[in-house]
Amino acid sequence: MENKIKIIEKRKKNVRIFPIYKTVSWDLLFYFPIIFLFLTQVKGLSPSQVLLSDAVYTLSNTFWQIPITRIVDKIGKKNCLIIGNIIYSLSILSIIFMQSFYELLIIQFMYALGYSIKQICETNILYDSLPVGKRRGKVFSVIDRKI
């Protein structure tokens, strides 16, 4: 009984902190213009190279969807979310130290891996944290929409 209460409390905490987590980890409107300027002005890449690297990111993101789903099933959502955030953060940090366009392409491939993991796990963890019932889907959409 005591264990069940702890699980319910953890689920409530997940639901409460999810909007904060998503807001902090999902500020892409700020990130993309800054990274574009950084790559063109500081790293000296041409705008076409930056856009090509973004295309590699998009294709990589599509590529990773099926393998990541299988990995999440084996490792678990919580562990995968931690791994995804680490890969995501290291990829962003790697952009600062990259030396060439080809390194940027590899970084974008890894960045897509981290983002794909995050994308698959985040909403699943929120949904699993909600109590089972008729209103589960509606409550999920209200919380997920807040961001």
Side-chain angles (χ1 to χ4, degrees):
M1 183 70 169
E2 202 173 293
N3 192 25
K4 196 172 187 178
I5 293 171
K6 286 182 182 180
I7 291 172
I8 291 170
E9 288 174 6
K10 286 181 181 181
R11 286 181 173 183
K12 285 181 180 179
K13 182 180 177 186
N14 283 348
V15 171
R16 240 185 4 261
I17 65 172
F18 181 79
I20 297 166
Y21 165 78
K22 190 107 179 211
T23 302
V24 170
S25 70
W26 202 57
D27 196 7
L28 298 179
L29 292 175
F30 176 74
Y31 171 75
F32 283 118
I34 298 299
I35 200 67
F36 182 85
L37 291 172
F38 175 77
L39 290 173
T40 56
Q41 300 297 314
V42 176
K43 293 296 183 176
L45 297 176
S46 69
S48 61
Q49 287 176 316
V50 175
L51 293 175
L52 180 61
S53 74
D54 286 342
V56 167
Y57 164 76
T58 303
L59 290 172
S60 300
N61 203 357
T62 304
F63 167 79
W64 283 119
Q65 292 300 312
I66 292 174
I68 293 303
T69 304
R70 295 187 187 260
I71 292 170
V72 168
D73 287 341
K74 288 184 181 181
I75 298 176
K77 295 171 191 148
K78 181 178 138 189
N79 292 333
C80 280
L81 185 59
I82 292 167
I83 292 167
N85 278 316
I86 290 170
I87 294 170
Y88 187 75
S89 300
L90 289 175
S91 298
I92 292 172
L93 186 63
S94 297
I95 289 175
I96 295 171
F97 299 109
M98 64 152 227
Q99 299 290 324
S100 70
F101 171 67
Y102 298 107
E103 287 179 25
L104 178 61
L105 295 179
I106 294 168
I107 292 167
Q108 290 285 39
F109 189 72
M110 296 309 295
Y111 179 68
L113 171 63
Y115 190 76
S116 293
I117 294 171
K118 283 172 50 74
Q119 187 179 20
I120 289 172
C121 293
E122 286 174 343
T123 54
N124 284 333
I125 289 175
L126 172 63
Y127 189 78
D128 291 345
S129 297
L130 296 172
V132 178
K134 292 180 184 179
R135 298 182 34 92
R136 186 179 197 185
K138 187 172 184 171
V139 172
F140 170 78
S141 64
V142 167
I143 294 170
D144 195 41
R145 182 178 43 188
K146 285 182 182 178
I147 291 96

